[in-house]
Amino acid sequence: MKRIGLFIAFQLLAVMVFAQLSLTGVVKDEKGESLVGANIVLGNTFNGTTAGSKGEFKFSNLRKGKYTVFVTFIGYHNFSKDLILNNSENLNIVLEPTSVLTEEVLVSASRAGQKSPVAYTTIGKEDIQKSNLGQDIPYLLNYTPSFVATSDAGNGMGYTSFRIRGTDLNRINVTTNGIPMSDAESHSTYFVDIPDLATSTENIQVQRGVGNSTNGAGAFGATIDLQTSKLNPKANASYSSSAGSFSTFRNNLTAGTGLVNGKFAVDASLSKITSSGFIDRGASDLKSFFISGGYFTANTILKVTIFSGFEETYQAWNGVPSVRLNNDLAGMQQYEDHGLYTHEQTQNMIHSNSRTYNLYTYENQVDHYQQDHYQLHFSHKLNPFLNLNAAVFYTYGRGYYEQYETDQKFTDYQLVPPVINGTTVETTDLIRRKWLDNDFYGIVFSLNYKKGINSLNFGGGANIYDGHHFGKVIWAKITGNSKYNHEWYRGSGLKKDYNIYARYNVQLSEKLNATADLQYRYINYEIDGIDADLRNITQNHKYNFFNPKVGLFYVPALNQEAHLSFGRANREPNRDNFVDANPSGKQPTFETLDDFELGYTFRSTNVMLGTNLYYMHYNNQLILTGQINDVGAAIMTNVDKSYRAGIELMAGVKFLKNFNWNVNATISRNKINDFTEYVEDWDNGGLKTNIIRKTDLAFAPQLTANSVLSYKPSGRLEISFLSNYVGKQFIDNTASNDRKIDAYFVSNLKLGYTLKQNLFSEVKFNLLVNNIFNKEYESNAWVYSYLYEGKRNKMDGYFPQAGTNFILSVNIGF
């Protein structure tokens, strides 16, 4: 670390001693009007800025050499200019208006801009495509600050999950083109439902903390917004194929018409991914398509986007018990002795591989789901300063997960126990399917004004979710009078969600911007019917939330920037929180987050240093305490006070011309101020109380860090060494070392080579070698504790990740 510190110090010293040149200029349109807020980037450096109130910009402390200036502004053609800087220069840049309205306007209201007082990271299309070899989207974001990804099957295919700043995915708001993607009831986003969407993604922005007001559920840890493919004016086609470890195959075909008659364009993509997974029987069969067609003029966009995904994954969500990981034979036998597993299940565990064991052996123990997305976008430029965006959407999801269950009571499935040879048979083995069939539809809009030093976004949305939960018995060993597809429960959820927001940004001076963002959100959620345990779950909940956000963005010097912000988010409990609650106990209430952020960034030609401090204070955060409901299921309970506080550090260095090194680290403290644990007492019944007081929040590592070291010896070859460190994580809220995930450090190697030839426009080869040092580690876990025979015992599941494995891909462009 001392050597690294000295290296960065010498880089900074070199900048101060040798960098004496400056590059200044103004950005205007063809009429000579200043383009305030135009983005100016100095290629192959960390320098970037926005045009001031007179269109002016300045880069200082530059060395002699070759540079490329990139300028972008919505509604105008991108500008680029190569120059060799031997002396200070001044540029007069004139941008030409595009013949069609650019699609950045569609997401402009939900995105953080360069002067937004928000901690955010934007991943562009080029970086997405370099990493998109078939793994799920969370694995493409795994090297952004404070991000932790995990995979049920152990290789990034199939079901994946993620956390940001220790916050799980059902508290992270996800939108696509500004339209809510997070499930309205669970608040979760499973990217496996829309496999290979990354192929049709233009860019992804991750806003950490509360972020901007947007559509969908409250952002309690972060917001992720994806923009799907935008207009490519030229006709194009490409074919991509990947193959790798665990019988992994991916094939993708994309094509686009380009701009036809100067106004119309259609783009499409078709994809299929299969993998057997690292975990036993952890197979995935994933199919998807994407199609987008638009009408484009200088002032109007009318665009239809349709994408659909189908997934069938073998269930790997139970994990591997710690006794199996540790080859603890007595501990494995205890699973049978305590009635946790049957004799057959215990024997299967004992004779399985320690790291790839899967509890389920039934051949069709699958999750089977399809999700279709329909979006209609309209954008119109009313005048040079004002545009209107509106979109209507419809999402249809349906599917089930199938389970083989042994020794089930007929009465638990509303079946009459049969009488055979004069004896009443109470139980049977059976196969069941738990179904979810849902419709989600609504409208979002924004009116966006920008002129001079002022900008205003006024927007909102309204959506309705209509979900149906039901279960069917499709086979039974002993049938009695039961019929095929016998339905034993049915429940519904009808949720209406409305929000409206206004965001105002003003440039108070050449150095200071101020932002105020106010949102009102109303929710009406009705739950009816019975659940799988035949409990009546009928209930109704209404919420009125006010979510204010304010911030300052300050530029103390040309190569420095700072921001300070406060944001509040309120979040209603999800469906499980409501239906799992004990009807006779305390009912869940909404959570409130107050988020304070302070950031600073220094940029020079070859060095970028950034830091962001955050303090996220929660009232009534919902957590697991060990409490159970009237049928023994775990429930989440509100705790009065808790917080997440940390510092995010980012750095980038460009050295020896062809080397780039980007690193980030998050050091955090995540606490519950007053915690009481409840442990189920099998000896005496009921729950035993364990008062802990101040403790660590589960799944919140104190340290995470990422490193990406890239070397580009030529324009054709790029070599990247990627490292990821995640510190120790407790898997419940007791801070017990008996219930934790060990820290892990994993490194991957990525090679990219572009073949130049005449037959195709481009041929690219990519090789990704994951876990090159074959580290044995687990990235997620769960635990259930109980008292039996006077001792504390546990049932748990850890999710081992694959050892050294690879994916090789080729992409051919036409």
Side-chain angles (χ1 to χ4, degrees), residues 37 89 150 294 316 330 354 389 392 444 449 535 764:
E89 288 196 26
T150 182
S354 291
N389 294 330
V392 293
V444 299
Y449 172 82
R535 298 189 310 149
K764 288 185 177 180

Side-chain angles (χ1 to χ4, degrees), residues 10-294:
F10 282 132
Q11 286 283 325
L12 291 172
L13 181 61
V15 169
M16 291 185 288
V17 172
F18 298 109
Q20 301 175 8
L21 305 181
S22 65
L23 177 64
T24 59
V26 293
V27 183
K28 297 182 179 181
D29 64 14
E30 56 185 3
K31 297 178 181 179
E33 296 290 335
S34 299
L35 295 180
V36 181
N39 292 306
I40 306 100
V41 174
L42 207 54
N44 201 34
T45 75
F46 292 103
N47 285 321
T49 188
T50 58
S53 59
K54 297 179 181 179
E56 77 284 1
F57 67 89
K58 182 177 182 179
F59 297 111
S60 59
N61 295 328
L62 300 178
R63 304 186 205 182
K64 292 182 179 181
K66 184 178 180 180
Y67 295 91
T68 303
V69 180
F70 297 97
V71 185
T72 59
F73 194 73
I74 291 178
Y76 291 82
H77 285 292
N78 294 344
F79 173 91
S80 66
K81 179 181 177 63
D82 294 325
L83 58 90
I84 297 175
L85 198 65
N86 292 313
N87 300 290
S88 296
E89 288 196 26
N90 184 71
L91 299 178
N92 185 23
I93 297 173
V94 178
L95 299 188
E96 298 179 1
T98 59
S99 59
V100 298
L101 191 62
T102 55
E103 292 176 73
E104 285 83 0
V105 298
L106 297 177
V107 295
S108 59
S110 60
R111 289 294 180 95
Q114 191 163 357
K115 292 187 177 181
S116 296
V118 174
Y120 70 94
T121 303
T122 301
I123 301 95
K125 186 169 187 174
E126 183 179 356
D127 289 332
I128 293 172
Q129 298 309 321
K130 285 180 182 178
S131 302
N132 182 28
L133 306 183
Q135 291 181 301
D136 215 4
I137 282 180
Y139 277 75
L140 308 187
L141 305 177
N142 200 32
Y143 296 95
T144 60
S146 305
F147 198 101
V148 177
T150 182
S151 166
D152 284 8
N155 65 329
M157 308 286 184
Y159 267 92
T160 61
S161 186
F162 58 94
R163 294 184 176 87
I164 301 177
R165 292 183 177 176
T167 302
D168 58 16
L169 80 171
N170 68 21
R171 288 176 169 84
I172 295 171
N173 179 279
V174 179
T175 57
T176 303
N177 302 322
I179 289 174
M181 180 175 287
S182 301
D183 181 82
E185 286 197 301
S186 72
H187 300 181
S188 299
T189 301
Y190 295 104
F191 286 104
V192 69
D193 295 338
I194 42 171
D196 211 12
L197 182 62
T199 297
S200 304
T201 296
E202 190 70 27
N203 53 66
I204 305 172
Q205 185 175 94
V206 181
Q207 298 179 23
R208 301 184 298 280
V210 169
N212 290 336
S213 288
T214 187
N215 302 295
F220 256 54
T223 296
I224 299 176
D225 182 65
L226 298 88
Q227 181 184 8
T228 56
S229 296
K230 64 180 184 180
L231 171 67
N232 185 342
K234 297 182 179 179
N236 61 92
S238 67
Y239 171 72
S240 178
S241 183
S242 304
S245 304
F246 317 114
S247 302
T248 296
F249 296 97
R250 168 182 173 264
N251 288 282
N252 176 275
L253 180 64
T254 64
T257 63
L259 200 58
V260 179
N261 295 329
K263 292 184 178 180
F264 301 94
V266 177
D267 293 280
S269 176
L270 188 66
S271 178
K272 179 176 173 62
I273 302 172
T274 58
S275 177
S276 63
F278 169 65
I279 299 297
D280 294 343
R281 298 172 296 283
S284 302
D285 183 5
L286 314 174
K287 305 178 183 72
S288 65
F289 75 84
F290 175 94
I291 185 167
S292 179

